[in-house]
Coordinates of all heavy atoms in Angstrom, one line a residue:
E393 N 17.5 36.9 78.4 CA 16.2 37.2 78.7 C 15.2 35.9 78.6 O 14.4 35.8 79.4 CB 15.7 38.3 77.7 CG 14.2 38.8 78.1 CD 13.9 40.0 77.2 OE1 14.6 41.1 77.2 OE2 13.0 40.0 76.3
K394 N 15.4 35.1 77.6 CA 14.7 34.1 77.3 C 15.4 33.0 76.6 O 16.4 33.4 75.8 CB 13.5 34.4 76.4 CG 12.6 33.4 76.1 CD 11.4 33.8 75.1 CE 10.6 32.6 74.7 NZ 9.6 33.0 73.8
I395 N 15.3 31.7 76.9 CA 16.2 30.7 76.2 C 15.2 29.4 76.1 O 14.5 29.0 76.9 CB 17.4 30.3 77.0 CG1 18.4 29.5 76.3 CG2 17.2 29.8 78.3 CD1 19.8 29.6 76.5
E396 N 15.4 28.8 74.9 CA 14.7 27.5 74.7 C 15.6 26.5 74.1 O 16.5 26.8 73.2 CB 13.5 27.7 73.8 CG 12.4 28.6 74.4 CD 11.3 29.0 73.3 OE1 11.7 29.1 72.1 OE2 10.3 29.2 73.8
I397 N 15.5 25.2 74.4 CA 16.2 24.1 73.8 C 15.2 23.2 73.1 O 14.2 22.9 73.8 CB 17.2 23.4 74.7 CG1 18.1 22.5 74.1 CG2 16.5 22.9 75.9 CD1 19.2 21.9 75.0
N398 N 15.6 22.7 71.9 CA 14.5 21.8 71.2 C 14.9 20.3 71.3 O 14.5 19.6 70.4 CB 14.5 22.3 69.7 CG 15.7 21.9 68.9 OD1 16.7 21.4 69.4 ND2 15.6 22.0 67.6
G399 N 15.7 19.9 72.3 CA 15.9 18.5 72.4 C 16.9 18.3 73.5 O 17.1 19.2 74.4
P400 N 17.7 17.1 73.5 CA 18.6 16.9 74.6 C 19.8 17.8 74.5 O 20.1 18.3 73.5 CB 19.0 15.4 74.5 CG 18.8 15.2 73.0 CD 17.6 16.0 72.6
F401 N 20.5 17.9 75.6 CA 21.9 18.7 75.6 C 22.9 17.9 74.9 O 23.6 17.2 75.7 CB 22.3 19.2 77.0 CG 23.2 20.1 77.1 CD1 23.1 21.4 76.6 CD2 24.6 19.7 77.5 CE1 24.1 22.3 76.6 CE2 25.6 20.5 77.6 CZ 25.4 22.0 77.1
A402 N 22.8 17.9 73.6 CA 23.7 16.9 72.9 C 24.0 17.6 71.4 O 23.3 18.5 70.9 CB 23.1 15.6 72.7
A403 N 25.1 17.0 70.8 CA 25.4 17.5 69.4 C 24.2 17.5 68.5 O 23.4 16.5 68.6 CB 26.5 16.7 68.9
G404 N 24.0 18.4 67.8 CA 22.9 18.7 66.8 C 21.6 19.4 67.4 O 20.8 19.8 66.5
T405 N 21.6 19.5 68.6 CA 20.4 20.2 69.2 C 20.5 21.7 69.2 O 21.6 22.3 69.1 CB 20.2 19.8 70.7 OG1 20.0 18.4 70.8 CG2 19.1 20.5 71.5
Q406 N 19.4 22.4 68.9 CA 19.4 23.7 68.7 C 18.8 24.5 70.0 O 18.0 24.0 70.7 CB 18.5 24.2 67.5 CG 19.2 23.7 66.3 CD 18.3 24.3 65.0 OE1 17.2 24.6 65.2 NE2 19.1 24.6 64.0
I407 N 19.5 25.7 70.1 CA 19.1 26.4 71.3 C 18.7 27.9 70.7 O 19.4 28.4 70.0 CB 20.3 26.7 72.3 CG1 20.6 25.3 72.9 CG2 19.9 27.7 73.5 CD1 21.9 25.3 73.7
T408 N 17.7 28.4 71.1 CA 17.4 29.7 70.9 C 17.4 30.7 72.1 O 16.7 30.5 73.1 CB 15.8 29.9 70.3 OG1 15.7 28.9 69.2 CG2 15.5 31.2 69.9
M409 N 18.4 31.5 71.9 CA 18.7 32.3 73.2 C 18.4 33.9 72.7 O 18.9 34.4 71.8 CB 20.2 32.3 73.5 CG 20.7 33.1 74.7 SD 22.3 32.8 75.1 CE 23.3 33.5 73.7
T410 N 17.7 34.6 73.7 CA 17.3 36.0 73.3 C 18.0 36.8 74.4 O 17.6 36.7 75.6 CB 15.8 36.1 73.5 OG1 15.2 35.2 72.5 CG2 15.4 37.6 73.0
P411 N 19.0 37.6 74.0 CA 19.6 38.6 75.0 C 18.6 39.7 75.2 O 17.7 40.0 74.4 CB 20.6 39.2 74.2 CG 21.0 38.2 73.0 CD 19.6 37.6 72.7
P412 N 18.7 40.5 76.4 CA 17.8 41.4 76.8 C 17.7 42.5 75.6 O 18.7 43.0 75.3 CB 18.4 42.1 78.0 CG 19.1 40.9 78.7 CD 19.7 40.2 77.5
G413 N 16.5 42.9 75.2 CA 16.3 43.9 74.2 C 16.9 43.6 72.8 O 17.1 44.5 72.0
D414 N 17.2 42.3 72.5 CA 17.8 42.0 71.3 C 17.0 40.9 70.5 O 16.1 40.4 71.0 CB 19.2 41.6 71.5 CG 20.2 41.9 70.4 OD1 19.7 42.2 69.3 OD2 21.3 42.1 70.7
D415 N 17.4 40.6 69.4 CA 16.8 39.6 68.6 C 17.2 38.2 69.1 O 18.4 38.1 69.5 CB 17.1 39.7 67.1 CG 16.3 40.9 66.5 OD1 15.3 41.3 67.0 OD2 16.9 41.5 65.6
P416 N 16.4 37.1 68.8 CA 16.8 35.8 69.3 C 18.1 35.4 68.4 O 18.3 35.7 67.3 CB 15.7 34.9 68.9 CG 14.6 35.8 68.8 CD 15.1 37.2 68.4
V417 N 18.9 34.6 69.0 CA 20.2 34.1 68.5 C 20.0 32.6 68.5 O 19.7 31.9 69.4 CB 21.5 34.3 69.3 CG1 22.7 33.7 68.6 CG2 21.6 35.9 69.3
L418 N 20.1 32.0 67.2 CA 20.0 30.5 67.1 C 21.3 29.9 67.2 O 22.3 30.3 66.5 CB 19.4 30.2 65.7 CG 19.2 28.6 65.6 CD1 18.1 28.2 66.4 CD2 18.6 28.5 64.0

């Protein structure tokens, strides 16, 4: 449903992914 990345697509970077109707997954 929603997705954010907090840096480059590289080791160590975090992604926050939100499935539809669910809590965000880090």
Side-chain angles (χ1 to χ4, degrees):
E393 182 176 295
K394 180 180 176 186
I395 192 156
E396 299 172 328
I397 185 168
N398 74 348
F401 190 70
T405 298
Q406 291 186 331
I407 297 170
T408 305
M409 181 175 67
T410 307
D414 216 337
D415 293 330
V417 176
L418 185 62

